[in-house]
Amino acid sequence: MRLSNYFLPTLKETPADAEMESHKLMLKAGLIRKVTAGIYDYLPLGFKVLNSIEEVVREEMNRAGAQEIKLPIIQPATLWKETGRWEDFGPEMFKLADRKDREFALGPTHEEIITDMVRNELNSYKDLPLVLFQINDKYRDEIRPRHGVMRSREFLMKDAYSFHATQESLDETYERMYDAYARIFDRLGLNWVAVEAPTGLMGGSYSQEFMALADEGGEEIVVCESCDYSSNVEIAKYEVSSKGDGKGPSKLKKVETPGMETVEEVAEHLGISSQKVVKTFIYRTDDGLVAALVGGDDDIEEMKLINHLGTKKAEMVSSQQEIKEITGANFGSIGPVGLDDDIPVYADLDVKSFTNFTVGANEDGYHLTNVNWERDLEDVNFINLRKVNRGDSCPECGSELEFHKSIEVGQIFQLGTKYSDSLGGKYQDETGNLNPYIMGCYGIGISRLIPAVIQQNYDSRGINWTSEVTPFSAELIVLGSEDEKSFQLGEKLYEELKKRNYEILLDDRETSPGFKFNDADLIGIPVKIIIGPRGLENGVLEVEFRSGNKEEIEVENREIEQIAEKLGEGISASA
Ligand code: ATP
Ligand code: MG
């Protein structure tokens, strides 16, 4: 590609509205332009990068035995109503109507559409297993689109779906997909980990997310360095402490705590540790109210409550008036003892070993002390409920858990029969019985992978592409365009390298050398081949790698093929 007529509008200034480094660089290097919130144009360089990532993903999906299809973006509401997700997706779904007022959505994902397709075609156990995939735009009206194509409202996803007769068959495909994902992210040069993940709106029984490690990433994960335990913080387990105080139950007491709203105030007043002032929260779920309890120093992880209850939502009751109606007290004094029997109590595993602890008395200005589980509370469900804390230990081996920031680049799910049940997708088994097929689904955020790769590969000069992502493997920079010898050598090498299937950018613009070098570094080209009169006088041209390393290549008395051969070696070595 000749830069003189390549549409590459690079920017000198850092765009004001970009916060994340990858977003700034994607704008500065002329990869994307914003149309409106969360909607972007890809310019030629950005589209080339997107295509290289797409190609890696496609190759590995084909290698794993998945078959490529293309499903519609416009999807009838009727299908989404059959699974109940027309409601569940809520405002995140872009909805529209046709001229006859029939409702449609722009597909945020494709479980409904694909299950509808196969329910009409997959009838026998002999047709299973089957794995299909597509690479297609998705539409989600994100509440806060941000960081450019990292979280946009239109984005490119690879989504695959698998159909099985048995759980073993699903397990086998799930593992094959996991391996394909590992190859994809390795080939893209990412530093990644797979973590256990909540299943969220997709549903299902088990899920893992693939996370690219990045300090600016929005997702927090925990990783054990000693064993292979790793998890999204939202569902992370921890080693439960069994530190009881060893004492038997003392007499339950109601004590005055006038005007005390916080755990710290109550603990100080009573001269006890704040952790033993057990906190109570009331949540409203699909099935009514529940009480959730954690130690005084801990916080509730709502996702854990949602997961455990299998409810779609759990909203903390946060109005003073409502909490008073439910418990009889204001927030500072609520507790589990004497709550309405209809409100089930869920307490964190860590507080199970507590004896003689303190809770609100459900009466303003009072707490109960010396509370004990069995004696004072019936039917408490102990579950993994609190947020993991720094210093927590691995639930599997007891080593300290490490916390990392990351970017979610993919997620795979064991869906079970959620969609085949609700949409009536059945196959006939060997004995003639009809069964719903067991499904898996597997997503990769292709457009999000661009900022993910950049977040791990940039410096003060710009992007530093990894070898399978880079849009060009080398750039030819001719210094002194009026120097005939340099110009001729540049032209010949350009043709010769292209013949050898290298993607080469030729900077034939009439600008200063400094400008050319800066642009090459900004857009992340791994190798610069510099041809100029000064070098040629000494019979050499210079090769500069993005790492800063330099090398001289002899050109005097060499055929153009030999020089190209030598340059090819350098390009390959840098990859
Ligand atoms: P997130 O939690 O980041 O909103 P998600 O879990 O809802 O993502 P999935 O349904 O798992 O997303 O979609 C598969 C992949 O698509 C994600 O792993 C992510 O890489 C990508 N993705 C999801 N939402 C967006 C978005 N708004 N913009 C760009 N990529 C996205
Ligand atoms: Mg996800």
Side-chain angles (χ1 to χ4, degrees), residues 44 51 76 99 135 153 171 259 350 353 364 369 427 467 488 556:
N51 284 331
R99 65 176 77 209
I135 294 174
R153 298 198 292 169
D171 287 343
D350 250 4
S353 62
D364 282 345
T369 61
Y427 70 95
S467 59
Q488 286 300 338
E556 197 93 326

Side-chain angles (χ1 to χ4, degrees), residues 452-572:
V453 169
I454 295 176
Q455 278 307 135
Q456 291 186 355
N457 299 283
Y458 72 89
D459 59 21
S460 57
R461 290 179 290 154
I463 301 168
N464 184 2
W465 294 116
T466 55
S467 59
E468 291 235 28
V469 182
T470 191
F472 294 98
S473 39
E475 178 166 326
L476 273 167
I477 298 179
V478 181
L479 306 178
S481 47
E482 61 293 335
D483 180 59
E484 190 55 26
K485 221 172 142 195
S486 304
F487 173 78
Q488 286 300 338
L489 183 59
E491 290 292 321
K492 282 194 199 141
L493 276 178
Y494 178 56
E495 293 306 329
E496 194 61 35
L497 285 167
K498 274 204 306 185
K499 250 196 251 164
R500 288 160 196 256
N501 285 329
Y502 292 106
E503 289 270 11
I504 303 292
L505 197 56
L506 172 67
D507 196 344
D508 55 349
R509 297 174 300 178
E510 307 237 332
T511 52
S512 72
F515 193 87
K516 293 181 176 181
F517 290 140
N518 287 346
D519 261 3
D521 285 346
L522 172 64
I523 67 174
I525 307 302
V527 180
K528 294 193 284 284
I529 300 165
I530 303 148
I531 305 168
R534 218 182 303 156
L536 292 189
E537 264 170 36
N538 301 321
V540 295
L541 57 75
E542 203 178 343
V543 178
E544 193 180 317
F545 299 96
R546 188 62 178 73
S547 59
N549 290 347
K550 291 179 189 172
E551 200 178 287
E552 282 184 347
I553 303 265
E554 292 264 345
V555 291
E556 197 93 326
N557 303 323
R558 271 186 166 169
E559 296 296 323
I560 200 78
E561 288 85 3
Q562 275 179 299
I563 305 170
E565 183 77 35
K566 208 71 200 144
L567 286 171
E569 284 167 20
I571 293 170
S572 305

Side-chain angles (χ1 to χ4, degrees), residues 26 75 82 105 120 124 172 183 193 269 327 435 553 560:
M26 286 187 76
Q75 312 183 352
E82 277 187 66
N120 299 319
S124 160
E172 198 206 304
R183 288 182 61 93
V193 276
H269 175 67
T327 68
N435 301 309
I553 303 265
I560 200 78

Side-chain angles (χ1 to χ4, degrees), residues 47 50-62 66-73 110 114 132-138 155-161 181 184 442-447 449:
F47 192 50
L50 189 73
N51 284 331
S52 346
I53 296 176
E54 182 178 320
E55 219 22 63
V56 169
V57 173
R58 177 175 286 115
E59 276 175 29
E60 294 301 333
M61 281 298 114
N62 285 327
Q67 301 171 49
E68 188 164 7
I69 54 170
K70 186 172 174 294
L71 300 167
I73 283 165
H110 281 76
I114 197 154
L132 301 171
F133 81 101
Q134 65 166 342
I135 294 174
N136 211 340
D137 280 327
K138 296 283 182 277
F155 59 96
L156 191 62
M157 196 201 282
K158 183 286 298 176
D159 45 328
Y161 305 86
Y181 276 42
I184 289 166
Y442 317 87
I444 289 186
I446 300 206
S447 37
L449 275 163

